[in-house]
Amino acid sequence: GRTVGQIASVLSAKGIVDPGDWPKCVTIGRIDSMRVVGEKESDLERRYYISSRALTAAQLAAAVRAHWGVENRLHWILDVSFSEDASTVAKDNAPQNLSMLRKIALNIIRADKTDTRKSS
């Protein structure tokens, strides 16, 4: 029920990005996107990227979509199943340690093929 339109643009970082700040930056990219859900159209969303690879606009668009696939597959599950975003743990290394434990638990659950029913 959602339509997404995106336009990807890339240009060389040479002469634009200071090599002292971003020594491996080769490409600057921009993605302009809009969503339509039902009758409601979103505002234009503009995101910028830097890359150490020389990318075409199509390659940039594919890389960004792949990134959001990871975001949706991993982080959404961690939040819904493990309430990761609601965690108030903030002392020392505890947030990183708990995040790692959640990911280990998720990988163990995914590796268990004995029960193929969907469960949470």
Side-chain angles (χ1 to χ4, degrees):
R2 171 176 78 171
T3 303
V4 178
Q6 294 186 332
I7 299 171
S9 308
V10 296
L11 61 107
S12 171
K14 188 174 184 178
I16 297 172
V17 174
D18 182 354
D21 292 334
W22 300 97
K24 296 183 180 181
C25 182
V26 174
T27 303
I28 300 171
R30 182 180 80 193
I31 302 247
D32 293 327
S33 65
M34 292 188 73
R35 283 187 310 273
V36 177
V37 180
E39 299 292 322
K40 187 173 181 181
E41 187 174 294
S42 71
D43 292 332
L44 174 70
E45 186 175 299
R46 181 167 282 167
R47 297 181 309 272
Y48 293 93
Y49 301 87
I50 61 171
S51 175
S52 59
R53 292 180 43 213
L55 300 173
T56 65
Q59 289 170 324
L60 173 67
V64 168
R65 293 298 295 166
H67 167 79
W68 283 108
V70 170
E71 175 71 23
N72 290 335
R73 186 164 186 259
L74 175 63
H75 298 291
W76 183 84
I77 292 170
L78 289 171
D79 187 37
V80 170
S81 298
F82 296 100
S83 299
E84 189 171 59
D85 288 350
S87 176
T88 58
V89 176
K91 188 173 180 184
D92 301 326
N93 293 325
Q96 293 86 356
N97 292 340
L98 285 174
S99 177
M100 183 64 66
L101 288 172
R102 288 184 194 107
K103 290 173 186 167
I104 290 169
L106 182 59
N107 285 329
I108 290 169
I109 292 167
R110 285 182 174 162
D112 181 11
K113 303 296 182 195
T114 58
D115 185 3
T116 57
R117 293 176 295 147
K118 290 185 177 183
S119 60
S120 60

